[in-house]
């Protein structure tokens, strides 16, 4: 599935691999067999900001840290900033949280789903990341107390087209490739390609069991079929109650009255453009 925005009317279009049918978000909401994808703006923020147990599930897998350690020590920092984001989308990071382990770190989650302007997205994310790193230390604080900062970018493209890695880690390095500091890390994840691998079944050929599971997690962020979401989720090694909770949250988000009103008048069955937020949907998260 690919999700992108029409900049003229901000109508989000979804192209699905399971049938190749173009659908708008309001069409997805109307279909009881479908879910609004997790990488879509309102869903992405609502799920990861309001359900730390789900955020902990994703991060424990991508960070390779036991779930309990993340879940018991996670603090969402971006919650409650919705008004600021609406007023100034470009000035706000999407999801920011703090994990208080022996070596604490701050994490920013970004989803970048766009048909073009890839370099602009990457540069914008660098701006967000620099801001994240800068804010990890209180004014006049000791620089030795700078927290490790990690930005996870969930993309529908390869950030480095030369390597074409599903997961690309970026560090600040010297000319001999020695890492300057491990407190500065950006991770690009191509969830579109992960979705492709899941739908065509080639993910099963991946020998690395950890990467295979991460591919399924990435695919989950783009799947809109309830049936496929359930099937993909079964391939992830996690508590059954937690996985059931994730499915319920996704179903509730797609049935959310506010989300419906934002995209169409359900009583008349017509698009309600007057109530759509004037956000920049070239990232559609």
């Amino acid at each position: 599935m690919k999700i992108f925005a029409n900049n003229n009317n901000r109508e989000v279009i979804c192209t699905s691999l399971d049938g190749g049918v173009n659908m708008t978000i309001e069409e997805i909401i109307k279909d009881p067999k479908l879910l609004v994808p997790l990488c879509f703006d309102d869903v992405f923020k609502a799920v990861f900001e309001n359900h730390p147990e789900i955020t902990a599930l994703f991060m424990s897998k991508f960070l390779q840290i036991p779930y309990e350690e993340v879940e018991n020590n996670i603090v969402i920092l971006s919650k409650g900033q919705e008004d600021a984001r609406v007023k100034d989308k470009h000035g706000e990071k999407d999801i920011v949280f703090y994990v208080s382990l022996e070596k604490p770190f701050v994490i920013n989650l970004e989803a970048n789903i766009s048909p073009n302007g890839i370099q602009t997205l990457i540069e914008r994310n660098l701006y967000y990341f620099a801001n994240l790193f800068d804010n990890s230390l209180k004014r006049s604080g000791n620089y030795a107390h700078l927290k490790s900062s990690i930005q996870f970018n969930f993309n529908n493209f390869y950030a480095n087209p030369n390597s074409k890695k599903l997961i690309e880690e970026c560090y600040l390095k010297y000319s001999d490739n020695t890492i300057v500091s491990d407190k500065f890390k950006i991770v690009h994840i191509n969830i579109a390609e992960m979705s492709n691998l899941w739908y065509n079944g080639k993910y099963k050929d991946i020998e690395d069991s950890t990467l295979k599971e991460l591919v399924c997690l990435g695919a989950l962020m783009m799947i809109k079929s309830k049936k496929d979401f359930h099937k993909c989720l079964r391939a992830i090694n996690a508590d059954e109650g937690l996985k059931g909770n994730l499915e319920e949250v996704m179903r509730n988000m797609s049935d959310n009255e506010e989300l419906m009103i934002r995209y169409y008048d359900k009583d008349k069955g017509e698009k309600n453009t007057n109530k759509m937020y004037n956000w920049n949907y070239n990232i559609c998260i």
Side-chain angles (χ1 to χ4, degrees):
M1 179 194 302
K2 293 181 180 178
I3 301 178
F4 56 92
N6 183 318
N7 289 327
N8 294 324
N9 60 17
R10 301 187 184 280
E11 177 180 313
V12 180
I13 306 296
C14 297
T15 302
S16 172
L17 288 173
D18 50 340
V21 179
N22 289 342
M23 300 185 72
T24 60
I25 289 296
E26 59 267 22
E27 288 172 334
I28 292 176
I29 293 173
K30 292 178 183 179
D31 192 329
K33 295 180 181 180
L34 302 180
L35 298 167
V36 178
L38 183 53
C39 62
F40 175 66
D41 188 57
D42 294 332
V43 178
F44 183 84
K45 291 170 185 169
V47 171
F48 286 119
E49 283 190 347
N50 297 304
H51 299 276
E53 75 282 0
I54 294 174
T55 306
L57 170 63
F58 276 75
M59 289 299 96
S60 67
K61 298 296 185 182
F62 281 105
L63 292 169
Q64 291 299 290
I65 296 175
Y67 170 78
E68 292 75 16
E69 290 188 29
V70 180
E71 197 270 337
N72 292 332
N73 295 285
I74 190 170
V75 178
I76 306 297
L77 302 177
S78 55
K79 193 171 183 179
Q81 296 180 354
E82 186 68 21
D83 291 339
R85 273 199 295 268
V86 172
K87 293 177 182 177
D88 184 12
K89 173 66 182 175
H90 294 286
E92 294 293 331
K93 297 172 286 297
D94 287 322
I95 310 296
V96 180
F97 57 95
Y98 174 73
V99 183
S100 180
L101 298 177
E102 183 178 352
K103 292 184 177 180
F105 50 84
V106 179
I107 294 178
N108 172 217
L109 303 183
E110 296 285 338
N112 308 292
I113 312 298
S114 175
N116 48 38
I118 292 175
Q119 190 58 41
T120 300
L121 286 174
I122 291 176
E123 290 170 353
R124 185 201 64 185
N125 285 336
L126 284 173
Y127 166 76
Y128 286 167
F129 184 72
N131 180 256
L132 179 75
F133 190 67
D134 178 55
N135 290 333
S136 70
L137 183 68
K138 294 182 179 179
R139 188 177 297 276
S140 73
N142 189 323
Y143 289 109
H145 297 155
L146 269 170
K147 299 180 183 66
S148 294
S149 300
I150 307 173
Q151 183 179 81
F152 283 93
N153 293 321
F154 298 99
N155 310 322
N156 69 332
F157 53 84
Y158 287 110
N160 182 358
N162 295 322
S163 69
K164 290 192 174 182
K165 292 181 179 179
L166 291 172
I167 302 175
E168 183 87 48
E169 296 186 347
C170 307
Y171 300 90
L172 185 63
K173 295 183 177 182
Y174 294 108
S175 57
D176 64 354
N177 283 329
T178 301
I179 295 176
V180 176
S181 172
D182 60 2
K183 291 186 176 182
F184 191 101
K185 180 179 178 180
I186 297 176
V187 183
H188 289 288
I189 303 167
N190 190 335
I191 58 175
E193 185 57 29
M194 289 178 170
S195 178
N196 290 336
L197 290 171
W198 187 82
Y199 268 106
N200 62 32
K202 291 184 178 179
Y203 80 98
K204 296 178 182 178
D205 298 330
I206 299 175
E207 295 182 0
D208 186 329
S209 60
T210 298
L211 179 57
K212 183 184 295 185
E213 189 173 42
L214 294 181
V215 166
C216 292
L217 272 178
L220 276 179
M221 299 188 71
M222 302 200 76
I223 290 175
K224 73 176 189 292
S225 161
K226 289 182 179 178
K227 180 179 178 181
D228 291 342
F229 190 92
H230 177 83
K231 182 179 178 181
C232 184
L233 188 58
R234 294 309 100 189
I236 295 170
N237 181 24
D239 177 78
E240 290 300 319
L242 180 58
K243 291 193 287 188
N245 184 37
L246 174 54
E247 278 195 279
E248 182 179 3
V249 167
M250 290 299 296
R251 286 195 300 269
N252 290 341
M253 284 302 304
S254 294
D255 294 336
N256 186 279
E257 186 78 11
E258 185 176 334
L259 193 63
M260 291 182 179
I261 292 173
R262 185 172 300 180
Y263 284 95
Y264 76 101
D265 186 329
K266 69 172 185 175
D267 295 326
K268 296 180 180 180
E270 299 174 351
K271 185 192 301 184
N272 191 346
T273 54
N274 292 328
K275 292 185 180 180
M276 292 175 68
Y277 284 174
N278 189 30
W279 288 353
N280 184 347
Y281 276 113
N282 64 345
I283 54 174
C284 183
I285 47 155

